[in-house]
Amino acid sequence: MPCNCCEITDNAFSEAEARSELRNYRRRGPAAQTKLILQAIRSLNLRDAELLDVGGGIGVIHHELLEDIVDHATHVDASSAYLQEAKAEAARRGHDRHVRFIHADFTDVAPDLPKADIVTLDRVVCCYPDFRGLLKAAADHSRRALALTYPRETWYLRIGLRIANFFQRLRRDPFRVFLHPVAEMDALLKREGFERVSMRRLFVWEMALYKKTAA
Ligand SMILES: C[S@@+](CC[C@H](N)C(=O)[O-])C[C@H]1O[C@@H](n2cnc3c(N)ncnc32)[C@H](O)[C@@H]1O
């Protein structure tokens, strides 16, 4: 589906980058922050769950969880290069019949998508300006849990992301990285009927797991 977000992200994430990420994943397994999401989701002890992975990139979360606790996954991504690699890897693992791939800005297609038990956003909110719209749509689609990673609100990341965005402006590339306010993301998810049940921190990334409290 055509959208401005897809155009910007398609330019930001090249085919070469997507291929290189897949090579790294095959060699070394999931990245450290993705491992935190996987551990958090597995701690819920779900079986035959439905997963909605928003901005899943090369699809690491569904490649891993379809091995044990997930039966069916939907992967919505604004990057066609990432989706192409995710599809190829899903086919290689024999998961292709268990994953639905959608090329779109999630906020555009969310009204047409069914709910899932688990919704994940691994390093996604920081690529999207409207974190409220994105998280609200993600929360609306979760029946049980939502897990996300985002950059920590630290002085070194504030400086680092400002520099990265300065170079993006110089290159006339509209893609930006965002350090969204964690307290506001947390407050929004609480208003949507979720409570944060765990949080883990790495040097750059923070992972938060939310469980649904209200029906
Ligand atoms: C930094 S990459 C992370 C990919 C993967 N989750 C990972 O951690 O390796 C961000 C991903 O989010 C996707 N993305 C960002 N905003 C999105 C949106 N509104 N709808 C769908 N995908 C989105 C991008 O296309 C990209 O694949």
Side-chain angles (χ1 to χ4, degrees), residues 9 13 21 55-57 77-79 82 104-106 122-124 127-128:
T9 4
F13 301 109
E21 276 201 33
D77 208 296
S79 157
Y82 272 143
D105 177 335
F106 175 63
D122 189 7
R123 302 189 303 154
V124 179
C127 296
Y128 198 70

Side-chain angles (χ1 to χ4, degrees), residues 14-24 58 81 84-85:
S14 67
E15 284 171 24
E17 257 172 278
R19 271 198 302 272
S20 148
E21 276 201 33
L22 183 58
R23 267 197 309 276
N24 284 343
I58 58 161
Q84 192 177 309
E85 297 305 318

Side-chain angles (χ1 to χ4, degrees), residues 28-80:
R28 300 183 205 134
Q33 68 282 352
T34 309
K35 276 187 191 156
L36 296 183
I37 286 200
L38 294 169
Q39 281 165 12
I41 297 293
R42 286 188 170 120
S43 74
L44 299 170
N45 291 320
L46 301 175
R47 284 284 166 267
D48 297 329
E50 284 173 39
L51 166 73
L52 169 61
D53 191 16
V54 178
I58 58 161
V60 173
I61 292 180
H62 57 77
H63 301 321
E64 296 289 322
L65 295 182
L66 278 163
E67 298 293 337
D68 44 32
I69 63 159
V70 164
D71 179 64
H72 192 85
T74 301
H75 176 169
V76 185
D77 208 296
S79 157
S80 46

Side-chain angles (χ1 to χ4, degrees), residues 154-201:
T154 60
W155 64 267
Y156 51 88
L157 285 178
R158 275 186 211 290
I159 295 172
L161 297 192
R162 245 182 232 160
I163 294 171
N165 287 333
F166 170 74
F167 282 106
Q168 287 294 100
R169 255 193 303 280
L170 281 189
R171 280 192 221 109
R172 296 180 188 283
D173 183 332
F175 183 79
R176 298 282 181 275
V177 188
F178 302 92
L179 199 58
H180 293 308
V182 177
E184 278 191 48
M185 295 195 285
D186 181 57
L188 183 152
L189 290 170
K190 281 191 179 132
R191 280 195 303 278
E192 295 302 314
F194 287 82
E195 69 170 338
R196 190 165 60 200
V197 290
S198 68
M199 180 193 267
R200 301 276 306 275
R201 287 190 175 130

